[in-house]
Amino acid sequence: MLIKSDPSWVIKENQATPEGAYLNRRTLMKGLAGSIALGSVAQINMAGSAQEGRAPLASTHNDAYTLDRELTPEDVNLKYNNFYEFGSHKRISDNAEQNLKPRPWEVVIDGMVNKPITLDVDELISKVGGLEERLYRHRCVEAWSMTVPWIGFPVKKLVDLVDPLGSAKYLRMETFNDASMADGIASQPWYPWPYVEGITMAEAGNDLAFLAVGAYGKQIANSMGAPIRLHMPWKYGFKSIKSIVRFSFVEERPVSYWEEISDGREYGFWANVNPEVPHARWSQANETVLHTQERVPTLLYNGYGEQVADLYTGMENEKIFY
Ligand SMILES: Nc1nc2c(c(=O)[nH]1)N[C@H]1C(S)=C(S)[C@@H](COP(=O)(O)O)O[C@H]1N2
Ligand SMILES: [Mo]
């Protein structure tokens, strides 16, 4: 059982600053020697993050999404990334920090909708009205996992903003395609830029489908997909597209970046997590927790089956697990 309510290390919203929600027990013990008042947590934390220069982001902690494993320390999440626009290795953080320009950032929402709109990302954030903090588990298809205190809003709120037509079947998303911000785009011309992902309208309407604009109490870091990225916690990580510039409501199923690269053989459209369905080249039964290097069993739908399994009833014959 990896998901339950009220794990011992969760600090309730009413007891702490927004930052408090992601401090794990080890960090707390280290920072506080187990005894200092919670008011000091924010100070310790602000000091640690000052060098990043990202603005603090107000949010309401959503108690519905809690975990029983520690959150990944911020520094680990900032410095171990998949972001092929900056190179096909995990150490892209400094490159992204220096070269990605997340403000100003124009977002286009178009396609089969009654109210298409082009707006600045900060305008979008104010239009959806009120950000939440959610603790989510993330399972990369490469069999490592992390946990993140995202700040953002459900995809559903973006859907409602533009009033899709009944004929819209999928939400297609696209990452920026600007080689002046990301040298991996030009240096790896064999990849099908821009990075594209897609989800069904039903998936987009599920409460778990989340657009993150912050993490760890602040605006989201460049390396993690600033200024706005998707997180679908029941799917393999490659579905969670970063640095989105365009959302299009479409009738035809989009071909996603990794689906195209692998010709659908290794990375499919659905990509729902299932420990019993191996990847073409490795087992998906277990995962390595990033900051502890512990091997733990992977769960069906990454532990979110209760919330999402009914999206796939009647699809038993489709390849929904890779
Ligand atoms: N645009 C873009 N989005 C992306 C990727 C990428 O290379 N480019 N990598 C994906 C993969 S494989 C994973 S596991 C996650 C990694 O997110 P993180 O770096 O914040 O851990 O981002 C996903 N989104
Ligand atoms: Mo991934």
Side-chain angles (χ1 to χ4, degrees), residues 178-189:
D178 179 350
S180 74
M181 289 201 294
D183 56 14
I185 294 176
S187 68
Q188 306 173 100

Side-chain angles (χ1 to χ4, degrees), residues 199-215:
I199 57 178
T200 65
M201 291 299 290
E203 289 173 333
N206 187 281
D207 189 57
L208 275 174
F210 200 62
L211 285 164
V213 298

Side-chain angles (χ1 to χ4, degrees), residues 137-153:
R137 284 148 42 76
H138 175 100
R139 170 58 158 82
C140 175
V141 74
E142 299 165 331
W144 54 266
S145 65
M146 61 181 182
T147 40
V148 194
W150 294 119
I151 293 173
F153 56 91

Side-chain angles (χ1 to χ4, degrees), residues 206-283:
N206 187 281
D207 189 57
L208 275 174
F210 200 62
L211 285 164
V213 298
Y216 298 93
K218 300 182 286 280
Q219 287 184 331
I220 191 170
N222 287 357
S223 63
M224 294 177 75
I228 182 166
R229 67 90 58 86
L230 182 71
H231 193 203
M232 303 289 279
W234 71 97
K235 292 179 178 284
Y236 289 117
F238 63 85
K239 295 297 291 184
S240 293
I241 180 173
K242 293 175 166 181
S243 305
I244 305 168
V245 294
R246 188 171 178 191
F247 297 85
S248 304
F249 292 82
V250 297
E251 190 162 11
E252 242 178 75
R253 193 168 99 180
V255 178
S256 50
Y257 178 85
W258 282 105
E259 186 182 10
E260 186 166 343
I261 291 171
S262 74
D263 218 359
R265 282 190 296 265
E266 298 201 358
Y267 309 97
F269 173 80
W270 297 100
N272 294 308
V273 174
N274 188 337
E276 288 174 10
V277 178
H279 179 267
R281 288 177 283 135
W282 57 82
S283 162

